[in-house]
Amino acid sequence: MRNRTLIFAAVLGLWSTVAQAQEANRVVATEAMVDAASKLLATVAGGPGGTESILGFDKAKNLALALDDEARQDWAYWPTERVGVPLDLMNGEQRRLTHELLTALLSSRGYFKVVQTMQLEQILGMLDTAGLPRGVGHYEVVLFGKPSLDTPWSWRFEGHHVSLNVVVAPAGVSVTPSFFGSNPAEVRSGPLTGFRALGAEEDLARELVTSLTPAQRAKAVIAAQAPRDIFTGNIGKQPDQWEAWRTTLEPEGIAVSELNEVQRHWVRRLLDEVVGVYRPELSAEFLRNIDVESLRFAWMGATERGAPHYFRVQNDSFVFEFDKVQDNGNHVHSVWRNKDEDFGMRLLPEHYRTSHLRTE
């Protein structure tokens, strides 16, 4: 009995040590974000004459909004007008601090995905005939609330095919909705022919779906034709429908618990690719909170590379969607969402109870 007690105490001690290490690691990431955001905010405060402005654009007014501003949930992944300060209206120091803020949040893999997506705008600008605003200057930063280690605040970096929605609070960090897109999904001409910004996610899911037995595939492939876009997006929807997916989108396809160990390996690799865009101090905790056995994997469309398709990994809270249908199957929209975590709902329960923000 004494030995069992000692073992139990040792396990509890180990858990406590791990928890303390996790907390310390998260604080490092939080401190880095607070420092970068605070410095960025200070650059727009201006001198004795007031806040900095350019061409009548008040940077301070547009950079810093209230935490309960409705714009915090008005995220967009297409070319459109948005709140915040765009890179093309920033000076060199402000751009440097914006990248410092991004590297405080993202892993090297995630940071390069953001930069690569932004650079694709230059290619898209040459191909586009619709006259939409293109270029790396059309990505914007906005802060909601005051950067702090002691009170909750939020920030977003967003532009075409990138939307990073971050809540920082003493109790933790939330990063969903987390959107990455790519157009073209694969560059098919010029010096960058063959480049795929989001190729890893697609390849891992295809490894999984093509490894399925006929019986497994009958469960996993739920439609012969893929949808034109992700289900959890808000493009073309009225505000009161932005969160309808929470009740309408249910886990479908084959349960991970029905897969063999090799197939589960592909699921874990896919999760690591999705969540691992964030720095290890954050992503390790995110991954631990995903119950892999409860996930289901669903595929729509053809399984051949280059053909339009869609797949989703989902349980009661975690949702990852990947849609590659538009532009003849050469245009990706992907998003990680969480029914319990989006926009910091778990971290800001009192805030959501007392504000007018949309939670349903």
Side-chain angles (χ1 to χ4, degrees):
M1 178 64 72
R2 181 173 180 276
N3 288 339
R4 290 182 180 177
T5 302
L6 290 175
I7 293 173
F8 183 65
V11 171
L12 286 178
L14 178 61
W15 285 347
S16 177
T17 301
V18 171
Q20 291 173 1
Q22 292 171 358
E23 175 69 13
N25 289 337
R26 180 175 57 78
V27 169
V28 169
T30 300
E31 288 177 342
M33 283 188 278
V34 170
D35 182 63
S38 298
K39 289 177 179 177
L40 180 60
L41 192 58
T43 66
V44 300
T51 59
E52 182 187 8
S53 64
I54 181 170
L55 301 176
F57 181 86
D58 188 325
K59 292 186 181 180
K61 180 180 179 181
N62 287 276
L63 178 64
L65 303 179
L67 183 59
D68 62 355
D69 195 297
E70 286 191 347
R72 191 167 71 85
Q73 287 185 292
D74 189 4
W75 66 293
Y77 49 92
W78 56 93
T80 185
E81 295 293 326
R82 41 177 52 90
V83 299
V85 178
L87 291 172
D88 62 1
L89 292 184
M90 293 183 183
N91 60 37
E93 176 64 5
Q94 290 162 349
R95 291 169 182 159
R96 184 189 70 79
L97 288 169
T98 296
H99 284 276
E100 187 174 305
L101 182 58
L102 288 171
T103 54
L105 172 72
L106 300 166
S107 65
S108 58
R109 182 201 312 168
Y111 176 70
F112 284 124
K113 282 190 178 184
V114 169
V115 173
Q116 289 163 351
T117 300
M118 294 167 65
Q119 291 174 330
L120 282 176
E121 285 294 285
Q122 299 179 45
I123 295 176
L124 191 56
M126 294 185 290
L127 301 174
D128 182 41
T129 59
L132 296 171
R134 303 293 187 189
V136 295
H138 295 286
Y139 288 81
E140 310 194 22
V141 177
V142 60
L143 310 178
F144 298 97
K146 183 179 180 180
S148 170
L149 291 173
D150 304 315
T151 57
W153 61 287
S154 177
W155 64 279
R156 180 167 66 221
F157 180 81
E158 189 176 79
H160 186 213
H161 282 162
V162 174
S163 184
L164 307 177
N165 298 271
V166 187
V167 172
V168 181
V173 175
S174 168
V175 295
T176 56
S178 177
F179 182 96
F180 286 86
S182 178
N183 184 18
E186 180 176 354
V187 180
R188 294 175 176 170
S189 62
L192 292 177
T193 296
F195 174 73
R196 301 162 68 214
L198 301 176
E201 296 89 332
E202 177 183 353
D203 292 346
L204 289 167
R206 182 170 290 106
E207 289 280 4
L208 174 56
V209 75
T210 56
S211 75
L212 299 176
T213 67
Q216 289 175 321
R217 184 176 289 212
K219 294 181 179 181
V221 180
I222 61 175
Q225 184 172 352
R228 181 170 172 77
D229 202 358
I230 55 176
F231 291 101
T232 62
N234 55 0
I235 187 170
K237 298 178 183 177
Q238 294 299 314
D240 61 356
Q241 291 299 307
W242 287 352
E243 303 302 319
W245 66 273
R246 297 178 182 279
T247 56
T248 59
L249 191 67
E250 297 292 337
E252 296 180 277
I254 188 168
V256 170
S257 59
E258 298 180 63
L259 302 179
N260 62 39
E261 187 53 40
V262 173
Q263 293 164 339
R264 293 183 189 187
H265 166 76
W266 297 123
V267 174
R268 289 191 290 267
R269 285 278 306 278
L270 178 59
L271 293 176
D272 181 69
E273 187 66 32
V274 172
V275 178
V277 298
Y278 295 96
R279 60 188 291 171
E281 296 93 327
L282 302 174
S283 61
E285 183 175 354
F286 297 150
L287 285 169
R288 279 191 295 271
N289 291 332
I290 300 172
D291 180 4
V292 177
E293 291 296 302
S294 69
L295 294 169
R296 302 188 76 90
F297 172 77
W299 183 282
M300 300 183 189
T303 59
E304 296 79 18
R305 180 171 168 175
H309 65 275
Y310 164 98
F311 68 85
R312 183 169 78 246
V313 181
Q314 181 181 3
N315 61 16
D316 289 340
S317 56
F318 176 92
V319 181
F320 176 70
E321 294 188 276
F322 185 100
D323 186 88
K324 187 167 177 272
V325 172
Q326 298 177 39
D327 297 307
N328 297 315
N330 198 30
H331 184 153
V332 172
H333 286 172
S334 74
V335 68
W336 168 23
R337 304 207 63 171
N338 192 304
K339 291 185 179 182
D340 303 322
E341 301 279 352
D342 271 11
F343 303 108
M345 287 190 294
R346 179 182 62 82
L347 299 174
L348 307 171
E350 183 62 28
H351 179 74
Y352 275 90
R353 281 195 295 269
T354 60
S355 75
H356 56 276
L357 288 176
R358 305 176 185 91
T359 58
E360 297 181 357

